[in-house]
Amino acid sequence: RRRGSMTRDELLALVADRYQTTPEYLWERWPGYAVLRNTSNQKWYGVVMDVPAGRLGLEDAAPDERVDILNVKGDPDDALVLRLSQDILPAYHMSRRNWVSVRLARVPSELVGELIETSRRLTA
C-alpha cells in the first residue's frame, strides 16, 4: 500500500460519513463486491471490488492476487487523462467510456475522494 492511499474499509467509512451511503452486497457469488448508490435516485456512483490482478492486466502483482478497486463514473475526457496513471484503469465490467477503475492501495486518498464526489454528481 502506498503512503496516503486508502483501504477498502477507509473508503466505506468515508462514503458512510460524507454521503450516508451503506454499501450493498448484491451478488452471493462475489461477496467482496459492494455497490454504492445515490440515496436520492438509487443510481450507482461506485462499485468496490476485489479482482484478480490478472483480470486487470496488472504486471506488478501475481495474476491471482486480489486487488481492491473502485469503479467510478467520470467525464469521458477526464477518464482519458486519468488513465494515463498506471493505477487508474479502463473500468472493469462497466462502460469504459464513462467509468474508470481506481486501485485503492495505490491512488492518493484525496484523489479518490474527488473521484467519488464527481461520480456522485454525475449520477445525481
Side-chain angles (χ1 to χ4, degrees):
R1 175 177 170 198
R2 282 194 183 153
R3 189 172 181 197
S5 65
M6 186 178 287
T7 66
R8 167 190 287 263
D9 290 340
E10 291 167 339
L11 168 71
L12 296 177
L14 172 84
V15 298
D17 181 55
R18 194 177 287 177
Y19 308 114
Q20 293 69 55
T21 298
T22 301
E24 296 177 45
Y25 297 90
L26 303 177
W27 302 282
E28 198 172 306
R29 183 174 174 189
W30 295 290
Y33 289 22
V35 171
L36 308 175
R37 293 184 195 256
N38 269 310
T39 52
S40 62
N41 61 12
Q42 297 303 301
K43 288 186 178 180
W44 297 12
Y45 70 87
V47 184
V48 183
M49 297 178 272
D50 59 334
V51 178
R55 293 256 175 113
L56 300 170
L58 301 178
E59 296 177 8
D60 61 350
D64 59 345
E65 179 183 338
R66 307 288 300 182
V67 176
D68 282 331
I69 61 171
L70 167 67
N71 279 1
V72 287
K73 188 170 189 174
D75 176 270
D77 293 333
D78 291 343
L80 289 172
V81 171
L82 288 169
R83 282 190 222 128
L84 295 175
S85 164
Q86 64 183 3
D87 298 316
I88 299 178
L89 312 163
Y92 179 74
H93 273 291
M94 303 286 276
S95 164
R96 292 173 177 221
R97 183 174 186 278
N98 296 316
W99 291 76
V100 294
S101 291
V102 178
R103 291 178 70 184
L104 288 177
R106 310 270 305 216
V107 173
S109 300
E110 185 176 301
L111 178 56
V112 173
E114 290 171 13
L115 293 170
I116 291 168
E117 181 62 35
T118 298
S119 189
R120 278 187 43 83
R121 183 176 36 79
L122 291 171
T123 58

